Amino acid sequence: MLSENDENGKFLKPYDPAATEGRIYKVWEDSGYFNPDNLPNADSRKPFTIVMPPPNANGNLHAGHALFVTLQDLMIRFKRMQGYKALWIPGADHAGFETQVVYEKKLEKEGRSRFGMDPKELYAEILEFTLANKSIMEGQVKALGASCDWSREKFTLDPDVVTRVQQTFIKMFVDGLIYRGKRTVNWCPKHQTSLSDIETESVEENTPFYTFKYGPFDIGTVRPETKFGDKHVVMHPDDMRYAQYKHGDTFDLEWINGPITATVIKDSSVDPEFGTGVMTITPWHSQVDFEIAKRHNLDMEQIIDWRGKLLPIAGEFEGMKITEARAKIIEKLASKGLLVSIDEKYQNVVKRCYKCSTMIEPQVKDQWFVKMAPLAQKAIEAVNAGEVKFIPDHEEKIFRHWMENTLDWNISRQIVWGIPIPAWFKDGDAIASLESPGEGWVQDIDTFDTWFSSGQWPLMTTGYPDGKDFETHYPTDVMETGRDIIFFWVARMICFGLYLTGKAPFHTVYLHGLVNDAHNKKMSKSKGNVINPLELTEKYGTDALRMALVVGNTPGTDLALREDKIKGYKNFANKLWNIARFILESTEGYDPSAALSENDQVIRSEFDTIIADVTKDMEAYRIYLAAEKIYHYVWDRLASELLEDSKQIFAASDEVASASRKALLRSLLNDVLKVLHPFMPFVTEEIWQSLSDTQGLLMIQEWP
RNA sequence: GCGCGGUUAGCUCAGUUGGUAGAGCGCGUCAUUGACGUUGACGAUGUCGGGGGUUCGAAUCCCUCACCGCGCACCA
């Protein structure tokens, strides 16, 4: 019998994750096996590689991080045990705009503002903030049991990454895939930067639709405050109602601030069915109008400044915020008898900044753009060829749909926190170069969209183009990440990978859903329903949290994280603990070579069938099923039936039957620990270390 | 407007190639101090969103409708 003073006396008490996990993690880390080069027979192993999505180093880990760490660690531990050279590369993302937004909020709380700050000073402050967060996050990733190779950890601002990202930019510029363009961009007046199309949210809103008298025409608009400079009236060339007006005709009219001269433009992009079939254009503040103006070579003028206030062209309205100006402008037009009608029920799509919900102001600005069409074409081809597979597979349709309709990507950001764009300007010329091309050239002060660098992450982490891991570990195997960043990240990684190496950076994309609260509502600070995963690991143990995140959680589906579910798996960890205790106690001095009785052989092969089934599920990434199957075997079959049955056998005085059963239980326990290890690494390793017939770390045992 | 999901037990969700419905939590009854910060046995609750079709057989395949969620979208 076990006693308190025995080496294994700990089994007399319930399993204590808090006293176990840190110690076990250190044993693993010290073993060096997180680095696959140190694994037994490393050279003959086939590589299996996962690049960890680098968490944004601007805050604590949230429940979504816990999910991806768990899933990826599961895959890695499974493959490592299966004999692969399993490499999981951790990292951290400086997360350009995201981090800058977080830091600006912090400044705001301190009564400071980034505007007016010295850019170098601001950069240094954010860097310090980011590095501090990065180190906290590393500790949190470890607490979740991540068996990633810390010796290969990368940060998106590592000097080699920065240089390589800049070189990609230059290469794309030379290849004609990046151009400098004066085009309509999504401008956030609060954050004072342009944003890509996917960094805006289109929200349908009720906005009154005004119709004004514009000379002989009635024109409609939802934005009267932009209309000061409108001097072109556009209609469809085939619209017979306006056949008497010829393209290029001019006419005089009374407008907001007095008489102006307007010109008739015929353009087939105008929908004759909409409104009166006539509109005026504001090319500087509307993408559509900009396109029309460009087609007809019309001049364009800025009406609203970068802060969202009216410029001198607005006359008496100069300096007013557009929101306050609108009502006053309508009032003035009405008093002049130019207001025809108001449709109060009009539904309009408004773009908003995805971070602050400020209304995006379209502005014309010189920016760097990536030509997406040729890149997207290659990506679609790769998917068609089966080079990249999506789990769940319907995500492929979503990917395809986006890729087929993708617009050029604005990669310039007017913020300091990011990788500098290696570009130089002189007399309207723009070129890409790391060094100054000569006298008179001025360096671009913009930085890259953070996804321009993270899009190259699988290349950076494996040492593209000639690093030691590139040959062995690129293309990687699985990209496991959130469904919500399929466009931001997955699509771009595939494009960059194909462009730079001709190979997609991974063959499988496993997309998980969101981790929501217990009622399946999205977690948010404002709702106060944010669950901190680290608190859960402290309360229930990491193994319990991991199981709760994994069981029944199908890829692509959101998960409702319930504390009672985690508690259930804490009980399971304890159940396993007590199974071990029972087996240890009742098989003392057993004979490992005892022959199994016929019945025990059946029991053994029954478990072999379960193992084969679990293995199949794991290989097909049906982790949610694999977890449930092994759980049920352990609890319902092994504990509830086989252990109970064994008590009878041990009580009867049949030496042969007892010897057989003892050998059976030990063999079942060993393999249960192995199969459960990827799911519940801590408790299984802890038990493994207490068994007399086992050697080395469970972590590197051969999968049964 | 286009696209993608979902709708299964009170709640949160599984159901891998079509073969008479499952898990966890919760609930009810009984037992047990046992290897078990309990656990075990038994049990109740479902016309698997509505309708139609294919099939010997449909939660599962097809069509259609409804509702919920999400993504994309330059009609002023």
Side-chain angles (χ1 to χ4, degrees), chain A residues 228-482:
Chain A
F228 292 100
D230 289 17
K231 51 190 180 187
H232 297 98
V233 62
V234 192
M235 63 213 69
H236 196 278
D238 302 335
D239 193 333
M240 294 320 290
R241 292 172 294 180
Y242 307 111
Q244 78 220 65
Y245 302 99
K246 302 290 176 235
H247 182 84
D249 282 359
T250 58
F251 59 95
D252 295 326
L253 72 140
E254 180 62 24
W255 196 225
I256 313 171
N257 288 334
I260 63 165
T261 303
T263 307
V264 172
I265 300 293
K266 302 268 179 170
D267 193 284
S268 51
S269 71
V270 177
D271 178 3
E273 306 293 318
F274 185 86
T276 57
V278 184
M279 65 180 192
T280 63
I281 53 168
T282 315
W284 201 282
H285 300 290
S286 157
Q287 167 88 38
V288 190
D289 297 2
F290 178 83
E291 297 297 336
I292 294 172
K294 244 174 67 176
R295 269 199 291 280
H296 300 283
N297 204 18
L298 311 175
D299 57 340
M300 38 188 91
E301 193 171 356
Q302 188 172 10
I303 314 297
I304 297 161
D305 75 3
W306 305 103
R307 283 287 181 188
K309 290 182 178 169
L310 288 164
L311 287 163
I313 190 174
E316 65 192 87
F317 301 99
E318 180 190 347
M320 286 178 80
K321 281 195 174 163
I322 52 170
T323 39
E324 4 172 319
R326 183 178 294 182
K328 298 205 162 93
I329 292 162
I330 295 160
E331 203 178 301
K332 180 158 185 201
L333 282 162
S335 72
K336 293 178 102 174
L338 296 174
L339 177 61
V340 178
S341 63
I342 305 174
D343 176 1
E344 295 283 0
K345 287 190 209 122
Y346 187 70
Q347 291 291 117
N348 189 36
V349 175
V350 178
K351 274 194 178 186
R352 293 183 175 279
C353 170
Y354 82 117
K355 276 288 145 194
C356 66
S357 289
T358 300
M359 207 196 286
I360 291 294
E361 186 59 63
Q363 294 272 13
V364 175
K365 196 167 169 56
D366 269 313
Q367 299 277 279
W368 291 106
F369 292 91
V370 173
K371 230 182 247 181
M372 287 304 291
L375 297 171
Q377 184 56 36
K378 284 251 160 47
I380 291 168
E381 280 165 19
V383 171
N384 287 345
E387 218 189 301
V388 184
K389 285 203 169 17
F390 288 83
I391 299 172
D393 56 8
H394 71 252
E395 294 289 340
E396 184 186 312
K397 289 186 211 162
I398 295 170
F399 172 85
R400 207 182 279 277
H401 183 254
W402 190 73
M403 275 303 200
E404 281 164 0
N405 300 294
T406 188
L407 303 165
D408 285 358
W409 172 19
N410 173 5
I411 52 169
S412 311
R413 294 293 172 276
Q414 290 69 49
I415 57 175
V416 296
W417 185 239
I419 297 177
I421 300 178
W424 304 79
F425 309 125
K426 184 186 179 182
D427 305 332
D429 276 349
I431 64 163
S433 164
L434 287 178
E435 305 298 332
S436 169
E439 213 171 303
W441 289 86
V442 179
Q443 192 166 9
D444 193 348
I445 57 164
D446 287 352
T447 51
F448 283 115
D449 179 353
T450 193
W451 299 100
F452 187 82
S453 46
S454 50
Q456 301 174 56
W457 199 232
L459 297 159
M460 301 300 144
T461 46
T462 54
Y464 167 83
D466 47 19
K468 70 180 169 89
D469 289 329
F470 186 65
E471 198 177 328
T472 316
H473 292 285
Y474 187 94
T476 67
D477 289 273
V478 183
M479 173 47 61
E480 195 291 317
T481 191

Side-chain angles (χ1 to χ4, degrees), chain A residues 85-145:
Chain A
K85 192 171 185 172
L87 172 61
W88 186 19
I89 310 175
D93 196 341
H94 73 283
F97 180 60
E98 296 257 347
T99 300
Q100 173 126 358
V101 170
V102 170
Y103 201 76
E104 278 181 33
K105 271 190 196 152
K106 185 171 164 327
L107 286 174
E108 219 171 281
K109 270 190 199 151
E110 296 165 4
R112 300 199 286 156
S113 161
R114 74 140 149 144
F115 304 109
M117 272 180 86
D118 174 51
K120 284 209 174 85
E121 230 170 78
L122 177 61
Y123 185 94
E125 276 191 31
I126 303 179
L127 180 62
E128 196 187 340
F129 171 78
T130 302
L131 292 178
N133 275 303
K134 178 172 169 283
S135 117
I136 292 169
M137 270 176 14
E138 284 155 7
Q140 294 175 328
V141 170
K142 290 180 183 182
L144 292 165

Side-chain angles (χ1 to χ4, degrees), chain A residues 489-535:
Chain A
W489 199 40
V490 178
R492 270 91 176 250
M493 281 191 288
I494 294 173
C495 289
F496 279 118
L498 288 166
Y499 168 63
L500 290 172
T501 72
K503 286 179 192 160
F506 30 74
H507 58 69
T508 300
V509 179
Y510 183 108
L511 295 165
H512 61 253
L514 263 46
V515 182
N516 292 330
D517 74 2
H519 305 288
N520 216 355
K521 294 281 176 256
K522 195 170 172 171
M523 291 185 200
S524 75
K525 280 180 195 160
S526 56
K527 268 187 269 179
N529 61 347
V530 175
I531 303 170
N532 175 353
L534 277 305
E535 278 173 23

